[in-house]
Amino acid sequence: ADYEDGDEPGGSNYDATALDVPSGAEATLNGGKITNAGNFTFAVSASGTLNIPATSTLTIVGRHGAIAVSGGLTTVSAGSYSIPENILYTDNVVYVEGGELVINGGTFTGDADKAQGGACVSQLGGKVTINGGVYGKSSGGDVYGVTGSMTIKGGKFENLIENQHIAEGYELNANGEVVKKNAGVITKEAIEEMIS
C-alpha cells in the first residue's frame, strides 16, 4: 500500500493501510508478505478478530508500523514483523490503542537508530499479553507500556527496559529470556511436597 498521488499526508492520516480488519470481521493470515510504504500508516490495522497461527509464514513490513490494534482480539503466534531503519516517520512495530493483543511467537524488529522510539510493542490502551517471540533492535526499549495492562510471561528480548511488565512469578534471565522463576530448580519445599 502506498499513496496513489505520492503525497505525504499529515499526522494521524492512516488511509494507506494495506489490510484492514474492521470491527465485526475476522481474518486468518497463513502466509505471504504485506508491505506498507506510506508515512503515518500501519501495514495492517485490526479492530476485529485477527489470527496469525503458529504455522504462518507471514512477513509484514510497515514504514510507520507493522500492525495497529484498536479493537477486537489479535493473536500472533508466528511470522516476521518490522519497520525499516533510517526512515523518517517510523513509529513502533506493533501499536495497541484498544482491544487485546496476545503474542505467542514471531520475530519483531524495531528501529535501532530512532532515539526513544521504534519499540517492538507499544501499548497506549487495551490489553497486551506476551507469551513468547523474539524482540530486538529497539533503541528506546523492546516494549513500551503506558498502562498496567501489559503482561510479559515469555519471549527473548535484546533491550527490555520496562521490567515492571514482567508477570509475577517470572523473571528476565541473563540470556534476555523471560522465564518462570526457579525454572528447572527443585526447591526444598517442592521436595518436601513430593515426599509427603
Side-chain angles (χ1 to χ4, degrees):
D2 204 349
Y3 302 100
E4 291 180 7
D5 56 8
D7 292 336
E8 294 183 3
S12 300
N13 184 353
Y14 299 99
D15 61 354
T17 297
L19 174 66
D20 182 30
V21 183
S23 179
E26 184 174 341
T28 298
L29 305 179
N30 293 306
K33 183 173 183 179
I34 299 174
T35 303
N36 188 20
N39 293 334
F40 298 107
T41 62
F42 291 86
V44 174
S45 177
S47 55
T49 301
L50 174 60
N51 183 37
I52 301 168
T55 55
S56 179
T57 57
L58 181 68
T59 298
I60 299 179
V61 179
R63 179 169 176 159
H64 189 66
I67 301 174
V69 179
S70 59
L73 172 62
T74 295
T75 304
V76 178
S77 298
S80 174
Y81 310 88
S82 64
I83 51 180
E85 289 189 24
N86 300 310
I87 299 288
L88 190 61
Y89 304 126
T90 59
D91 193 14
N92 301 288
V93 180
V94 180
Y95 174 79
V96 181
E97 62 180 350
E100 183 176 357
L101 169 69
V102 176
I103 300 178
N104 298 314
T107 302
F108 303 83
T109 306
D111 184 358
D113 67 283
K114 183 172 181 178
Q116 304 300 316
C120 296
V121 180
S122 178
Q123 181 252 343
L124 273 69
K127 180 180 177 184
V128 174
T129 303
I130 299 175
N131 298 316
V134 178
Y135 307 83
K137 294 199 174 183
S138 301
S139 58
D142 292 337
V143 300
Y144 175 72
V146 171
T147 72
S149 298
M150 178 183 282
T151 305
I152 302 173
K153 294 181 176 180
K156 181 168 182 154
F157 299 86
E158 184 178 280
N159 189 17
L160 184 60
I161 295 171
E162 296 194 9
N163 292 336
Q164 72 270 25
H165 300 297
I166 297 174
E168 189 175 334
Y170 291 78
E171 64 186 349
L172 183 67
N173 69 19
N175 295 325
E177 300 166 319
V178 173
V179 296
K180 283 189 175 183
K181 286 184 178 177
N182 299 322
V185 176
I186 299 177
T187 64
K188 178 183 174 186
E189 291 80 12
I191 293 171
E192 288 172 353
E193 187 176 320
M194 286 187 277
I195 294 171
S196 62

